Amino acid sequence: MAIGPTPLGALTALVPCIPMFISTWETYHTHTLYLGVFNGPTEGLIIASLIMLISAAYGAHVWRLPIADLVGYKSLLGTASVLDLWAPILIVSLCLAHIPDCVLNVYRARRAKGLPFLPVLLEWTPLVIFTGSLCAWLGSPWSALLKDNHLTLLCLTLSFVFGRMTTKIILAHLTRQPFPYWTVLLAPLIGGAVLVNLPRLGFPAVSAHVEHRYLQAYFVFATAVYFRWAVKVIDAICTFLDINCLTIPKDKYSLPKEQQNSVGTKVDGRDVANGKAA
């Protein structure tokens, strides 16, 4: 859509993270992955694919053309383009089409078990920290990340940060552990928000070069921590189950010879083993 490194581009990158977290939180409590009538894995991906196809066929500039030129109703729509309405579309879709169903499903699951509902809303703390820190960082008048076109690096970094947040919840769900409220990868995100807002605390502002170097270091740190944790978790699970990560050992799917000789089949309704009627 050629949004580029703008606040709208950052919003477009952030918004999909929120329903992913909420759905993972929902699954933790309901033990079921519900997908509403309108959801990200189906309708969301279809819409994203259609947007890319339209951009490929007609050029990304079409999203800046007046909608009224295509559908009419110029008196109502004026010169508004899709990009003019993009932020409200994202936010309204999130707040009305996704979050309410997730919250309702968790409420019903807790009520069915006779458990209070309000305390589990505190489990949104990691998401609040993630979203709040990112908004404080990019929304700071002293931040140069968007102006200097570093949104891609930021998104790559946050993919590991958010990835660990959600996979920790999934792991806690599968292993019946308490809900994880924290990951060390959130600490540098808070640090970045504080760093670019130092003038609010009476300190001089850091340069754009320092901010960029901080983000690069954050990316290296997040990548190393995430993959170390991922390998550790995968190794622990595979060791416990006595399986390999990417392959299935032959002795796990082939029967011993003595069992192969006794495997039976059915012929005309009769169980047959080794050519004899069982």
Side-chain angles (χ1 to χ4, degrees):
M1 298 175 75
I3 297 175
T6 62
L8 184 59
L11 177 68
T12 304
L14 171 64
V15 163
C17 296
I18 298 175
M20 175 66 183
F21 182 94
I22 300 298
S23 288
T24 308
W25 167 78
E26 173 193 31
T27 306
Y28 177 87
H29 288 286
T30 63
H31 309 296
T32 303
L33 178 59
Y34 292 97
L35 292 176
V37 176
F38 184 91
N39 60 80
T42 49
E43 286 77 17
L45 290 180
I46 291 173
I47 291 172
S49 299
L50 289 175
I51 287 174
M52 288 186 281
L53 288 172
I54 293 172
S55 294
Y58 301 103
H61 70 280
V62 298
W63 308 110
R64 289 177 166 78
L65 299 177
I67 301 175
D69 290 351
L70 179 64
V71 300
Y73 303 101
K74 191 167 185 177
S75 60
L76 176 64
L77 298 173
T79 59
S81 66
V82 171
L83 285 187
D84 293 330
L85 304 177
W86 188 240
I89 290 172
L90 291 177
I91 295 173
V92 170
S93 299
L94 173 66
C95 295
L96 296 183
H98 186 87
I99 292 180
D101 281 342
C102 295
V103 173
L104 181 60
N105 288 331
V106 173
Y107 172 77
R108 289 171 174 170
R110 299 283 293 182
R111 186 178 63 177
K113 297 177 182 178
L115 299 172
F117 168 73
L118 291 179
V120 301
L121 293 179
L122 292 175
E123 295 169 350
W124 289 17
T125 301
L127 180 64
V128 172
I129 295 174
F130 178 85
T131 305
S133 299
L134 183 59
C135 291
W137 189 340
L138 297 182
S140 170
W142 300 281
S143 174
L145 286 186
L146 296 181
K147 182 178 65 176
D148 292 346
N149 195 17
H150 299 312
L151 180 59
T152 299
L153 178 59
L154 178 65
C155 288
L156 290 173
T157 304
L158 295 181
S159 67
F160 293 116
V161 179
F162 185 78
R164 192 176 187 195
M165 284 172 53
T166 51
T167 49
K168 285 189 73 172
I169 299 174
I170 296 170
L171 182 65
H173 173 221
L174 295 176
T175 56
R176 302 180 183 275
Q177 296 181 34
F179 190 90
Y181 283 88
W182 178 254
T183 168
V184 69
L185 293 184
L186 285 173
L189 184 58
I190 299 172
V194 173
L195 184 69
V196 298
N197 286 287
L198 286 178
R200 299 187 190 278
L201 304 176
F203 298 97
V206 298
S207 66
H209 177 73
V210 170
E211 184 184 12
H212 186 207
R213 292 300 185 191
Y214 181 89
L215 179 59
Q216 289 176 327
Y218 188 12
F219 172 72
V220 173
F221 175 72
T223 304
V225 170
Y226 179 86
F227 278 105
R228 178 185 177 277
W229 179 77
V231 170
K232 183 178 180 180
V233 170
I234 293 171
D235 181 66
I237 293 175
C238 290
T239 300
F240 178 80
L241 297 177
D242 191 24
I243 60 175
N244 294 334
C245 176
L246 301 176
T247 61
I248 302 176
K250 186 175 181 180
D251 60 352
K252 296 296 180 182
Y253 63 80
S254 62
L255 294 172
K257 290 183 178 180
E258 57 272 15
Q259 292 187 24
Q260 292 179 2
N261 294 334
S262 62
V263 171
T265 58
K266 276 197 172 184
V267 178
D268 296 330
R270 297 179 302 163
D271 289 324
V272 177
N274 298 328
K276 298 180 181 179

